[in-house]
Structure formats: C-alpha cells, structure tokens
Amino acid sequence: MAESSQAPTAGNLFELNMRLDQPLDAEAEQLPSLAEPKAPSAFTTLRYAFQSLGIVYGDLGTSPLYVYHSTFSDGLTERDDLMGALSLIIYLLLFIPLLKYTFIVMKANDSGQVLSSVGGIQVNKPQVNDDWVLALACIILVLLFSVQRFGTGKVGWFFAPAVFVWFLSIGLIGIYNIVKHDPVVLKAFLPTYIFRYFQGHAKKSWVSLGGILLSITGTEALYADVGHFTVSSVQIAFPFFVLPCLLASYVGQAAYLSKHPGDVTHAFYRSIPEPVYWPMFVVATVAAIIASQATITATFATIKQAVALGCFPRVKLVFTSSKHLGQVYIPEINWILMVLCIIITAGFRGTIQIGNAYGIAVVALMLVTTMLMILVMLLVWRTNLFFIILFATVFMAVDLVLLSSVLFKFKQGGWAPLVIGGLCLAVMFTWHYGMLKKYEVEQQNKVPVSWILGLGPCLGLVRVPGIGFIYSELAHGVPSIFSHFMTHLPAIHAVVVFVCVKYLPVNIVPEEERFLFRRIGPKEFRLYRCVARYGYRDLHKRDDKFEDNLISNLSLYIMQNCPSESTSVYDEGSVSHVVESPLLPDGQSTTGMQSIRELSSGTNSIEITSPAHTSKNTTQRVRFAIEQVESETEVEDEDVAFLQEARRAGIVHILGDVVIKAKSHSNIGKKFLIDYMYALLQRICRENSAALNIPHENLLNVGQVYFV
C-alpha cells in the first residue's frame, strides 16, 4: 500500500473530483431537442382572439373616455390644435401598438409565447370628490379583484362580450359623428398637421403630449398578456377589429368637437347620439371597470415567470386552466394590487393625477422595451445594422419625447409609479441576491464524490428499505446536507436520489424530456443524480404524479444500462489519488487518508481503501467491478426490481433548510440586506416544500446555517 501513504496532491485531488463530478451534458445530448409547442388550430386561434378582448384590450379600449379632456384640460380654442392632436393620436396608434408591438416586438417570443412585462394599473373613474362616489369606486375595485380567482378563461368569457359591444359601439358612433358633423377631419391622417401643432405653441403642445399619450396606455398589455393566449390571436384581434374601432372613435369625437369645442371636457359622452345615450353610458361604465383587467392579468404572468427564474419570493400559484398553462392566478399579488388601487383612488381622487402616474409607467416601460429589442435584434436575430439603427432612431426618439413630456407632471401624480417600482425592485434585488449567496455557499460546501466512494456501498451507515429524495440547487456534486444528514442520523435509505429542479430559459419542457439521470459510483451504492427540468411556464407544482414519473423514468434509465459517473473516470491507465477525508461517518474530522486507485490498466476493478476507525493499523477495503458484468440483462432486472421494492417501502423527501447570515465583520449594508430584508422575505414567502409540491407527511427538513 505504498500509494496510500503518499501525501495528498491538491492538483490531483481537484482533477479527480472534477472527473468524478461532471455535469449531465452527455445525458442531455441523448435526448431530442426541446420541442416546439403544437400550434393551435384556426378555430382555437379565433376563439382566443375573441376571448382576448376581455383581457388584453380593456385598458387600451377605454382611452377614448378621457384623452381629449386630458389633452385640452385648459379648453379647446383653435381647430388646428384639434387636428394636430388627432393626427398625433392616429400616428401613435399606428406606430406604437400596431407597428412596434404587434409586428416587431411580438416576434421576440419563446415558442409562440413571450416574456411578460407590466406597467401599472389604470383606474378609470370620474372626479371622486364626494365620499359616496369614492366608496362606490372602492366597492367596484373589491368586486373586480374578487372575480380574479375564477381564472383568465372564465373572466375572459365574461368580459369579452361586453368589451366586444364596447368596441363595436364606439366604432359605429364614431362613423356616425364623422358623417354628421365634419368629414373634413379625416385630413388628420396627413402628418403635416403634427408639424403645425408644434409650430404654433411649442411648449403648450409639448406638455399636452402627456394627455395624447393616454391614447396608447394599455399597449404593453398586447405583449404582456399574450402568454395567456397566443401571438397569432393578438395579431388578428388588434389590426382587424380593435384598431379600426379606436380610430373611428377618435376621429368621430374630433368631428363633433370641431362643431362643439366647448364640450371638450365631456367630449365622449356629449358626442353620443341621444337615443343611445343611456345604453352607451351603461356599456362605458362596464368597460371602465374592466379596463384594469389587462394589467392585472399581465402582473400575474410576470410574477409567475419571475418566481420561476428565482427573481421573486415564492408565492402561491393557482393554475386556472388545464389546457393553457399560461393562465395563472396569484392570490397574494391579487390582494396587494387591490389595496394599492384603493390607496391610489382614495389618495388622488381623480383621473388627471392617475393619468399622470400611469403615463410615466407606460412610457418608461416602452423605453425599456425599445432598448431590449435593440439587443434582441443585434445579438439574437442578427438583423442588418441599417434596420437596427432605423428602429432605434425612430422609436427611441418617440419614447424620449413622450417621457420628457410626462416627467413635466412628476409632482402631479407621476411620482407614484416610481415609488411602487422602487419597492418592487428592492424586493426582487434582495431575493435574487440572497438566493445567489445561498447557491454560492452550497456550491462551495458540496461534498466531493471521491469521499462518497471511499465510504463503500453502505456509506458507513445502515441502509434501510425505502427511497430518499435529497433536494438541492446543485445540478452536479453532492450537496452538503447529505454529509450533515449522515452526521446526525445513523441510517440512510437503500436508494438515494439527489434531485435538482431546474428552470430552463424555455417556455415548456416536454414530459418525455423532463428528467436527466446519472448513477453515482458503482451500482452497489444505489446512488443516483436526477435533474428535473421545467420551463418557466410549466412550474413544478403542475406535476401531481412527480414521484411516479421520476421512478418510472429512473427504471427506464437503469434498463438502458447507462454508465455511472465513475465509469468514464478510470479509462486512462493506472492512476492513484490520495484524498483527505473531510468528514467521517461518525461526523468527526480526521486527517486520515483515503485512496482510490485502479489496480491495473488491464483490469476493470477499483480498490478503495480508507483507514478504519477501530484500529490504527487496519484498513477497510472495497473491491468492485465498474464496467463488465456477466449478464447485463440480469443485472438490469435485478436493479429495477430492487428499485421497485424500495418504492413499495416508501419515499422520504429530504429537504435542506439552508439559512444564511452575514459574517460579523460584514459591512452594515450587507448585514441589513441578508439578516433583515432577505430573512424577512424568507419568513413571509411560501415554504420551499410547498413550492416543490412535497407532501408534509413524507418530508424531512435538514437545517443548516452558513455565514456569508
């Protein structure tokens, strides 16, 4: 045993552990590439297009209620101002919702679905100076958020007919007003009126852009809410139905105002023909209530993806559709939004300040979208540089001009979205920072696979019947909770599976490609690694039969006789490594050595030696074959039978409860971030066991505290 007495070499030890502990790249390459989701039928697309009316377009569709009033808050005196404002509205609708979002931004999708973004909640109410009006507005808000639990599908079918009637009505009334009052306003489609608008009163026109901007509020919902439906359904509904109705409404109101400029404060209601006034009043009220639905739904989609990507604390996700995984309801976020809306309604008491607040949120989001699209065009699509410069020049210019206008009204309500956004950013940054530090400390303290092999098939413990699922964030390597578990308990299950749930930057992972497996060490160890892969839209909570699926796929893996992690390590001739054991089975530190070496280059045997703890001069040896067996079929059948027997004995889910704290010499900022903010978020968010859908009766938590 001359080799076992050699001093350990850091380079050799590192090389051995790296070769023993390889990522599952080879296994992943054996699977077909992640499949594209099946395209919906034409009927389904049309159904989604209709259903999206009640979810996506409520906010954008109710803008005609208040745009002219917000634009000409000091009154309308000149016809050129009216024509210039109408021309701006027309071209904003054509450039931003239609060209930018529907035909360009929508292409930045992930297998037909998109990464959500969200601006703010639009609360459409009149001036609420009276207490009873304020109370009624709050009651309506409570009712609106209360129906969210029924899901996007049911809410969409309930709201869609009302929004359809709304769009159809404003379109027909707009055409009526054009024909009756002033068809000449159709000249506003000429962009020359925009230049005239700014020539006369440059500063006044520039400030009024904040009101004109309200004509495209809700545009971000076209992109943010499309995950609840499909890209094609949104691309059908907006150009062929929503946009024509909006244009007819704005042009029709302008035609009416050209004859009655004094009615600009109530332009929409005064332009309604008297016979249909009260029916339209009811429809308008319902549409105004529905207006916030687009942003509510978008918020759910955004938070869901942020949770999956580790950028937001764990919350309860309720999937409201068995056919469309994008339709989700989040109770905690729903009630937080309700409280915020009530506070804003009671605090601002009118649409002017609320419009200013919403304007900043929308324009800031549009600017961020433009910058991100430039990166997508440059790095992902590799678009011609000329088109990238053209896109950036046109839309950055529009976004910056609009932003400069709405920032002028920062003190009149514009500060609200920045405060709320800052709080959300603080929460997301704190959670992501804490999760990153936790992953780093787990990575640094993972147990070398060489040490596991040195313990022998029994791992120095009693192997009891059953299967143990040990959960970890590590996709490769043995988590530190395993050694912590072995230190405090004298037994381990007959089969141990290290499970890592990973969310990939794709929208859905097909079921047949969900699991990747690899055996750790020889088959006698009964140790396996499993990576369960999910897209950000098919969360782990959706798997009601996770255990059965994992075991059946593991059985299939065993039957396919895939190589173990140790197989590829010993194929380069005779090697010998001396490894310092970081932890003995009894949990005591030692300076004793373990040796893992191949007996000869011509054999397929491995000898593992480690000092016995009962005697100074004795050693424990385990000798086993790593490649060839006499009958692979018999071994496979035996392994599968052993696995099924262990399955019948029961499954225990072992979950590491890792707590991180700042070191004593850390700066005040880090201590506050880790010890207070992150700790608070951990206490109030959902437990990890709930997020992983682990039954409590089979759960075993292993607590650890690390200082970072």
Side-chain angles (χ1 to χ4, degrees):
M1 300 302 297
E3 295 88 353
S4 62
S5 62
Q6 297 175 358
T9 304
N12 292 341
L13 173 58
F14 176 78
E15 180 183 355
L16 174 63
N17 284 323
M18 290 297 294
R19 294 169 67 189
L20 284 170
D21 186 20
Q22 294 291 325
L24 280 73
D25 295 340
E27 286 79 355
E29 291 175 357
Q30 296 174 3
L31 297 174
S33 59
L34 296 180
E36 297 269 337
K38 184 179 179 181
S41 63
F43 174 78
T44 302
T45 300
L46 292 176
R47 180 168 59 88
Y48 279 152
F50 176 77
Q51 196 175 358
S52 68
L53 294 176
I55 300 296
V56 179
Y57 303 104
D59 192 357
L60 185 64
T62 53
S63 296
L65 288 171
Y66 45 79
V67 167
Y68 283 112
H69 166 55
S70 299
T71 303
F72 302 107
S73 56
D74 296 330
L76 175 62
T77 56
E78 299 181 12
R79 180 182 174 86
D80 284 348
D81 291 342
L82 176 63
M83 295 294 288
L86 175 59
S87 186
L88 276 170
I89 292 172
I90 291 172
Y91 281 97
L92 274 180
L93 286 171
L94 294 177
F95 267 86
I96 304 300
L98 182 64
L99 179 60
K100 179 182 177 181
Y101 278 87
T102 305
F103 293 115
I104 299 179
V105 177
M106 285 290 184
K107 291 184 178 180
N109 65 77
D110 180 17
S111 301
Q113 302 190 51
V114 298
L115 293 172
S116 295
S117 53
V118 63
I121 297 288
Q122 174 69 29
V123 185
N124 300 299
K125 302 297 174 274
Q127 295 293 336
V128 287
N129 296 320
D130 296 333
D131 292 337
W132 71 270
V133 178
L134 176 61
L136 179 61
C138 293
I139 291 174
I140 291 174
L141 286 173
V142 172
L143 292 176
L144 174 65
F145 284 96
S146 297
V147 301
Q148 300 302 317
R149 63 188 180 89
F150 296 108
T152 305
K154 294 183 177 63
V155 172
W157 280 118
F158 180 75
F159 287 166
V163 177
F164 176 80
V165 172
W166 164 256
F167 276 116
L168 191 62
S169 300
I170 63 174
L172 293 175
I173 291 175
I175 295 173
Y176 169 83
N177 285 326
I178 294 171
V179 174
K180 179 180 180 181
H181 297 290
D182 190 2
V184 181
V185 294
L186 291 172
K187 290 184 178 181
F189 279 90
L190 298 174
T192 54
Y193 285 96
I194 297 177
F195 298 101
R196 295 183 187 178
Y197 185 65
F198 286 101
Q199 283 179 349
H201 312 282
K203 183 177 179 180
K204 181 181 178 182
S205 301
W206 171 69
V207 173
S208 70
L209 287 177
I212 295 174
L213 169 68
L214 297 179
S215 64
I216 58 172
T217 54
T219 297
E220 71 284 350
L222 271 70
Y223 186 72
D225 282 335
V226 75
H228 289 255
F229 306 100
T230 61
V231 172
S232 56
S233 63
V234 174
Q235 290 177 330
I236 290 174
F238 182 75
F240 296 104
F241 181 70
V242 175
L243 181 61
C245 293
L246 286 175
L247 291 175
S249 178
Y250 285 118
V251 176
Q253 287 187 56
Y256 175 84
L257 290 175
S258 67
K259 302 298 183 182
H260 309 86
D263 292 341
V264 68
T265 304
H266 304 287
F268 177 81
Y269 289 103
R270 296 289 173 83
S271 66
I272 299 175
E274 186 175 354
V276 296
Y277 178 84
W278 286 109
M280 274 303 300
F281 180 83
V282 174
V283 174
T285 302
V286 174
I289 294 173
I290 298 173
S292 293
Q293 183 61 47
T295 309
I296 295 173
T297 307
T299 303
F300 293 159
T302 303
I303 296 298
K304 172 193 172 184
Q305 296 176 19
V307 171
L309 297 174
C311 298
F312 197 85
R314 296 181 295 269
V315 291
K316 183 178 181 180
L317 300 172
V318 180
F319 292 84
T320 58
S321 173
S322 59
K323 298 180 179 179
H324 202 292
L325 296 179
Q327 298 183 1
V328 64
Y329 165 68
I330 306 176
E332 297 97 323
I333 301 301
N334 183 66
W335 304 124
I336 290 175
L337 287 177
M338 184 191 73
V339 172
L340 288 176
C341 284
I342 292 175
I343 291 175
I344 290 176
T345 302
F348 288 159
R349 306 178 72 89
T351 58
I352 300 298
Q353 289 179 309
I354 294 176
N356 295 337
Y358 197 30
I360 288 183
V362 169
V363 177
L365 177 59
M366 288 166 51
L367 181 61
V368 171
T369 301
T370 300
M371 292 187 291
L372 293 178
M373 280 303 302
I374 293 173
L375 293 178
V376 171
M377 296 171 74
L378 184 65
L379 302 177
V380 181
W381 295 346
R382 301 186 183 277
T383 308
N384 186 288
L385 187 60
F386 170 78
F387 294 106
I388 297 177
I389 295 175
L390 180 63
F391 176 86
T393 302
V394 173
F395 291 107
M396 286 287 286
V398 173
D399 294 343
L400 290 174
V401 169
L402 293 175
L403 182 63
S404 66
S405 176
V406 295
L407 286 177
F408 185 78
K409 302 178 180 180
F410 179 82
K411 294 182 180 180
Q412 290 78 40
W415 54 268
L418 299 182
V419 172
I420 297 174
L423 292 175
C424 293
L425 178 62
V427 170
M428 296 178 70
F429 174 80
T430 301
W431 183 261
H432 182 69
Y433 179 79
M435 293 293 290
L436 182 62
K437 288 298 180 182
K438 180 187 290 188
Y439 179 80
E440 289 177 353
V441 77
E442 289 185 353
Q443 186 73 20
Q444 294 168 1
N445 291 274
K446 66 180 181 179
V447 180
V449 177
S450 57
W451 173 71
I452 298 293
L453 298 180
L455 297 176
C458 290
L459 304 178
L461 302 171
V462 177
R463 303 296 292 265
V464 298
I467 300 177
F469 287 170
I470 300 180
Y471 291 86
S472 170
E473 294 290 332
L474 302 178
H476 59 94
V478 178
S480 58
I481 63 168
F482 184 61
S483 62
H484 195 66
F485 179 86
M486 294 170 62
T487 302
H488 294 85
L489 293 176
I492 192 68
H493 298 87
V495 177
V496 175
V497 182
F498 297 101
V499 181
C500 175
V501 177
K502 285 295 182 182
Y503 293 99
L504 307 182
V506 296
N507 113 55
I508 293 176
V509 176
E511 190 64 37
E512 62 272 14
E513 302 179 18
R514 176 81 64 213
F515 299 101
L516 296 178
F517 293 97
R518 180 180 288 179
R519 178 182 287 141
I520 301 178
K523 67 180 185 64
E524 291 84 359
F525 281 62
R526 312 290 183 186
L527 297 178
Y528 303 92
R529 182 188 324 286
C530 170
V531 175
R533 307 185 300 174
Y534 292 83
Y536 52 80
R537 290 190 180 275
D538 54 358
L539 295 184
H540 178 60
K541 180 66 177 173
R542 292 294 297 179
D543 279 359
D544 299 326
K545 298 181 179 180
F546 176 75
E547 294 178 1
D548 295 336
N549 291 338
L550 193 152
I551 295 298
S552 62
N553 280 273
L554 179 56
S555 300
L556 181 62
Y557 165 82
I558 294 174
M559 293 174 63
Q560 291 174 346
N561 197 26
C562 293
S564 69
E565 289 191 4
S566 61
T567 303
S568 61
V569 178
Y570 308 100
D571 57 3
E572 298 183 4
S574 179
V575 294
S576 177
H577 293 282
V578 181
V579 183
E580 182 176 354
S581 174
L583 182 68
L584 291 177
D586 60 0
Q588 302 299 320
S589 298
T590 180
T591 57
M593 299 297 157
Q594 304 174 43
S595 176
I596 305 178
R597 65 187 182 90
E598 189 171 6
L599 296 182
S600 67
S601 59
T603 65
N604 295 312
S605 298
I606 297 298
E607 181 178 282
I608 297 179
T609 64
S610 62
H613 314 302
T614 58
S615 174
K616 184 177 181 180
N617 299 320
T618 59
T619 61
Q620 296 177 344
R621 297 184 180 180
V622 178
R623 187 181 181 94
F624 48 83
I626 61 171
E627 289 185 358
Q628 299 296 329
V629 292
E630 294 182 358
S631 175
E632 292 184 355
T633 304
E634 293 179 2
V635 173
E636 292 169 7
D637 293 342
E638 178 186 349
D639 289 346
V640 172
F642 187 91
L643 179 65
Q644 297 300 329
E645 184 66 25
R647 172 70 175 90
R648 287 189 288 270
I651 295 177
V652 174
H653 301 263
I654 303 170
L655 185 64
D657 188 8
V658 177
V659 177
I660 59 172
K661 295 184 178 180
K663 293 181 179 178
S664 57
H665 57 78
S666 301
N667 57 60
I668 296 177
K670 185 175 182 179
K671 287 184 178 180
F672 177 76
L673 201 64
I674 295 294
D675 296 344
Y676 294 96
M677 290 189 64
Y678 181 70
L680 175 64
L681 292 177
Q682 276 198 312
R683 284 195 296 269
I684 63 178
C685 75
R686 301 193 82 211
E687 295 182 357
N688 199 22
S689 58
L692 292 173
N693 197 24
I694 299 176
H696 287 280
E697 60 272 14
N698 297 334
L699 175 63
L700 177 62
N701 273 314
V702 180
Q704 287 178 292
V705 178
Y706 288 107
F707 291 89
V708 297

